[in-house]
Amino acid sequence: MHTRGYAAQAADTPLAPFTFARRALGERDVQVAIDFCGICHSDIHFARNEWGFTAYPCVPGHEIIGRVVATGPSVSRLAAGQRVGVGCFVNSCRVCSRCQRGQENYCEAGVTMTYGSMEADGVTPTLGGYATQIVVDDHFVFTLPDGLDPAASAPLLCAGITTYTPLRDAGITKGSRVAIMGLGGLGHMGVKLAASFGAEVTVLSRSPEKEADARKLGAHEFVLTSRAGALEALAGRYDGILDTISAKHDLTAAVNCLKPGGTLMLVGAAAEPLEFNALPLLFGGRRINGSLVGGIPDTQALLDHCGKHGITSDIELITPDQINHAYERTLKGDVKYRFVIDCSKF
Amino acid sequence: MHTRGYAAQAADTPLAPFTFARRALGERDVQVAIDFCGICHSDIHFARNEWGFTAYPCVPGHEIIGRVVATGPSVSRLAAGQRVGVGCFVNSCRVCSRCQRGQENYCEAGVTMTYGSMEADGVTPTLGGYATQIVVDDHFVFTLPDGLDPAASAPLLCAGITTYTPLRDAGITKGSRVAIMGLGGLGHMGVKLAASFGAEVTVLSRSPEKEADARKLGAHEFVLTSRAGALEALAGRYDGILDTISAKHDLTAAVNCLKPGGTLMLVGAAAEPLEFNALPLLFGGRRINGSLVGGIPDTQALLDHCGKHGITSDIELITPDQINHAYERTLKGDVKYRFVIDCSKF
């Protein structure tokens, strides 16, 4: 079926209108009319081939909210009209130990990304959510709880799950003390989610102007880390620190702020190597955990959790013709806190 | 009570005979006649004040095997003549969350090290196991299973537990694939213990001459990492990698050899910062876990495990007058795999 969208045709040209075909509805497929799609920093890396493996035309977008239009004959749990989401992945092997454990994001055979991968046929590139329609295997379609604003829910599919899973895996719960480093698209979801778990949340930031927002998002404390001695004063304080900073930075000071046994959750993908001193890691039995998005059961659990607690992302809603400008603003960190495209305007 | 031993009187003088007093036997104390004490690399750092906080005279030694001589009135589980061990710690707060969980090694109030700390009185320095006697709180005394060679069991108290705990914490068990980096005092225990858990063990080393020993110790495979492309060929292979290297090294290649969700267990205390690239950590949901020795219940569990499986350290037994020479050889890595002092000769 034909769908309208926006695509990059080359690494150095802006995204522009693009019409393309989705696959015909298969046995286990769900056809989704896309209402909203968030803009993730990865979209920009990918559209511009900054990771070196982009095939063109490239339709980015993996924070998708829409409505079911049609379902294949074996799909019984979804019905036309139902509000659904699609995230970063649209297929995986289903049989490896990771898939069996609901960690499709770490599929040993390699997960199929919503854009920038190949379909199961091995030759058709996957195209993402900057579009009016998508066809996705039922297993990778989530239901959106009633009562959540659909546009503001789109970023839950990437920014939300990317912070939810490491916080849950690190055992952050009621009474935990957790710090968030970096208050952007990921960090602002980290604050909201950690607070919703009942944790005591601190935002660590070099920017004093972020304090008001941090508190509005649910942080109980704000520490200006550019003040001399600020991090030293927090030694041994946190059960977990969610590090969303994607630039090079020394991890030692953060590790040192963890309680014994505490976890530094690394979700920012710095291009340059990261450094840390081994001693505080050893002497406190501390951990540095990498985490990438989250599995399918976790993503549905996140959406259900957000429905229960009324959590969505703070967004700026844009029309498709604003995508390229939004990319520039995202690169400057000039967004509170996520751009979402109104896909009815494609 | 008076005890004979060896002490460093200054950072730059060799260890020499030294006679000193142990505290009188208290209510919950155990007096131990020391038979054997292992030489740990930390002993050297400490005797030479390389960490900057050594008080002199300094009696090192925290791999202690001996026999009970006397017990305080509240000690019922031990009797004179019983073979026991004392490890790296002789006291902790007992009430913090870590002590309550049997992780005295991470006591939030600071654990009392067997040497180089202060006794509970706050003014008397603790003196270690290069001596004929020691008086230790019952909670920090382990029973040695019958059938283990007492001299070769001494290094279990530090080298053994330092490798046992992270392997257990990382879930290494029957059928796991585990790699050991660095085949010294720690690494050789790591090979024996991982193999005894039923894991498939690989030694990763830059030294081809270590292959024969690696296999003798129980490794199923040996990979010469100095060969170009050797580590790249192991991408995604191991559930866990025990990294015992104490010199600066890039962790990226090792992290990349882990399966998704795998753990790099860091037990070597490199003085310079360690580096890694964030992407393989994120993309595989991998972990870097610091680990320092182990708690009291884990240490007893290790000794019991070793008793059941007939595991001890490979040692070179020396007399006290050979301690300074043994230090020089340890610094050169010229020991297979641990020096143990015959303390009956003090």
Side-chain angles (χ1 to χ4, degrees):
Chain A
M1 63 208 64
H2 270 59
T3 182
R4 296 182 310 283
Y6 255 54
Q9 296 288 346
D12 55 359
T13 55
L15 274 72
F18 176 61
T19 299
F20 59 104
R22 296 288 188 187
R23 70 165 182 259
L25 194 71
E27 178 80 16
R28 300 185 308 185
D29 279 342
V30 180
Q31 182 190 345
V32 177
I34 303 177
D35 294 315
F36 301 103
C37 186
I39 292 181
C40 172
H41 205 127
S42 303
D43 297 352
I44 307 176
H45 287 303
F46 211 82
R48 300 184 176 181
N49 197 20
E50 288 169 358
W51 291 335
F53 57 96
T54 304
Y56 294 95
C58 162
V59 177
H62 57 207
E63 296 184 337
I64 297 167
I65 293 288
R67 281 156 296 118
V68 174
V69 172
T71 56
S74 346
V75 180
S76 55
R77 68 180 185 106
L78 296 170
Q82 199 165 350
R83 186 75 77 176
V84 292
V86 176
C88 298
F89 313 116
V90 290
N91 211 349
S92 71
C93 83
R94 325 285 176 96
V95 295
C96 75
S97 67
R98 291 289 147 179
C99 283
Q100 291 290 320
R101 293 161 70 171
Q103 297 183 324
E104 296 85 351
N105 47 328
Y106 303 129
C107 171
E108 290 173 14
V111 76
T112 303
M113 297 185 299
T114 303
Y115 62 86
S117 284
M118 287 293 171
E119 296 278 4
D121 65 12
V123 293
T124 312
T126 55
L127 299 174
Y130 294 6
T132 53
Q133 302 272 339
I134 193 168
V135 175
V136 181
D137 184 291
D138 169 54
H139 184 70
F140 294 85
V141 178
F142 309 101
T143 55
L144 189 71
D146 291 337
L148 290 181
D149 178 69
S153 297
L156 299 178
L157 277 307
C158 174
I161 187 65
T162 296
T163 51
Y164 176 86
T165 291
L167 288 165
R168 282 294 196 212
D169 284 354
I172 300 304
T173 184
K174 191 170 164 58
S176 301
R177 271 203 207 125
V178 61
I180 312 289
M181 290 169 68
L183 195 62
L186 295 179
H188 99 289
M189 286 308 311
V191 172
K192 291 187 183 202
L193 288 169
S196 75
F197 296 166
E200 184 188 313
V201 182
T202 301
V203 167
L204 307 177
S205 173
R206 304 179 64 84
S207 313
E209 68 276 13
K210 294 205 170 168
E211 177 162 4
D213 263 21
R215 293 192 185 275
K216 209 163 56 188
L217 293 164
H220 307 90
E221 201 179 356
F222 179 90
V223 175
L224 192 61
T225 54
S226 47
R227 224 183 46 228
L231 283 172
E232 289 73 6
L234 301 174
R237 187 168 171 82
Y238 300 105
D239 296 287
I241 299 179
L242 180 72
D243 182 350
T244 72
I245 300 171
S246 57
K248 183 177 172 68
H249 58 297
D250 187 324
L251 305 181
T252 308
V255 167
N256 206 45
C257 292
L258 292 168
K259 289 186 191 174
T263 304
L264 182 73
M265 298 158 257
L266 213 59
V267 296
E272 295 163 295
L274 299 174
E275 274 194 1
F276 68 99
N277 185 311
L279 290 180
L281 203 76
L282 263 62
F283 276 74
R286 295 164 171 132
R287 291 139 193 259
I288 301 175
N289 287 9
S291 187
L292 183 79
V293 206
I296 298 303
D298 261 9
T299 306
Q300 188 61 61
L302 157 73
L303 293 174
D304 295 345
H305 175 86
C306 287
K308 198 170 149 193
H309 293 266
I311 297 172
T312 55
S313 177
D314 287 14
I315 65 160
E316 300 188 33
L317 192 65
I318 61 168
T319 49
D321 58 301
Q322 295 174 299
I323 291 173
N324 293 299
H325 182 57
Y327 273 23
E328 296 312 316
R329 286 186 53 201
T330 298
L331 291 173
K332 286 187 292 192
D334 174 25
V335 50
K336 285 185 173 181
Y337 278 90
R338 208 72 162 174
F339 287 110
V340 172
I341 306 162
D342 180 348
C343 296
S344 69
K345 305 285 167 44
F346 277 120
Chain B
M1 63 207 62
H2 269 60
T3 181
R4 295 183 311 283
Y6 256 55
Q9 297 288 344
D12 55 358
T13 57
L15 275 71
F18 175 62
T19 299
F20 59 103
R22 295 288 188 186
R23 70 166 181 257
L25 193 71
E27 179 81 12
R28 301 183 308 183
D29 280 343
V30 180
Q31 183 189 345
V32 177
I34 303 176
D35 294 314
F36 302 103
C37 186
I39 292 180
C40 172
H41 206 127
S42 303
D43 297 353
I44 307 175
H45 287 303
F46 210 83
R48 298 180 177 183
N49 198 20
E50 288 168 358
W51 291 335
F53 58 96
T54 304
Y56 293 96
C58 161
V59 177
H62 58 207
E63 296 184 337
I64 298 167
I65 293 289
R67 283 155 295 118
V68 174
V69 173
T71 56
S74 349
V75 180
S76 55
R77 71 180 183 106
L78 296 170
Q82 200 166 349
R83 185 76 75 177
V84 291
V86 176
C88 298
F89 312 117
V90 291
N91 210 349
S92 71
C93 82
R94 324 285 176 95
V95 294
C96 75
S97 67
R98 291 289 147 178
C99 283
Q100 291 290 320
R101 292 162 69 171
Q103 297 183 322
E104 296 85 350
N105 46 327
Y106 302 130
C107 172
E108 291 174 13
V111 75
T112 302
M113 297 185 298
T114 303
Y115 64 85
S117 285
M118 288 293 172
E119 295 278 4
D121 65 13
V123 294
T124 310
T126 56
L127 299 173
Y130 294 6
T132 53
Q133 302 272 339
I134 193 167
V135 175
V136 181
D137 184 292
D138 168 54
H139 183 72
F140 294 84
V141 178
F142 309 100
T143 56
L144 189 70
D146 291 338
L148 290 181
D149 178 69
S153 297
L156 299 178
L157 278 308
C158 173
I161 186 66
T162 296
T163 52
Y164 176 86
T165 292
L167 288 166
R168 282 295 197 210
D169 284 354
I172 300 305
T173 183
K174 190 169 166 56
S176 302
R177 271 203 208 125
V178 61
I180 313 287
M181 292 169 68
L183 196 63
L186 295 178
H188 99 289
M189 287 307 312
V191 172
K192 291 188 183 201
L193 289 169
S196 74
F197 295 167
E200 184 188 312
V201 182
T202 301
V203 167
L204 306 177
S205 172
R206 304 180 62 84
S207 313
E209 69 276 13
K210 294 203 171 169
E211 176 161 4
D213 264 23
R215 294 193 184 274
K216 210 164 55 187
L217 292 164
H220 306 91
E221 200 180 356
F222 179 90
V223 175
L224 193 61
T225 55
S226 47
R227 224 183 46 229
L231 283 172
E232 289 73 7
L234 301 173
R237 189 169 169 79
Y238 300 105
D239 296 288
I241 299 179
L242 181 72
D243 181 351
T244 73
I245 301 171
S246 57
K248 182 178 174 68
H249 57 298
D250 187 323
L251 305 181
T252 308
V255 166
N256 207 45
C257 293
L258 292 169
K259 287 186 192 173
T263 304
L264 182 73
M265 299 159 258
L266 211 60
V267 297
E272 293 163 296
L274 299 175
E275 274 193 1
F276 68 98
N277 185 310
L279 290 181
L281 203 77
L282 262 64
F283 276 71
R286 296 165 171 130
R287 292 138 192 259
I288 301 175
N289 288 7
S291 187
L292 183 79
V293 206
I296 297 304
D298 261 9
T299 307
Q300 188 62 61
L302 158 74
L303 293 173
D304 295 345
H305 174 86
C306 288
K308 197 170 149 194
H309 293 265
I311 296 171
T312 55
S313 177
D314 287 13
I315 66 161
E316 300 188 33
L317 192 64
I318 61 167
T319 49
D321 58 302
Q322 296 174 297
I323 291 174
N324 293 299
H325 183 57
Y327 273 22
E328 296 312 317
R329 286 186 54 201
T330 298
L331 291 175
K332 286 186 291 193
D334 173 25
V335 51
K336 283 187 175 180
Y337 277 89
R338 208 73 163 176
F339 287 111
V340 172
I341 306 162
D342 180 350
C343 296
S344 71
K345 304 287 167 45
F346 277 120

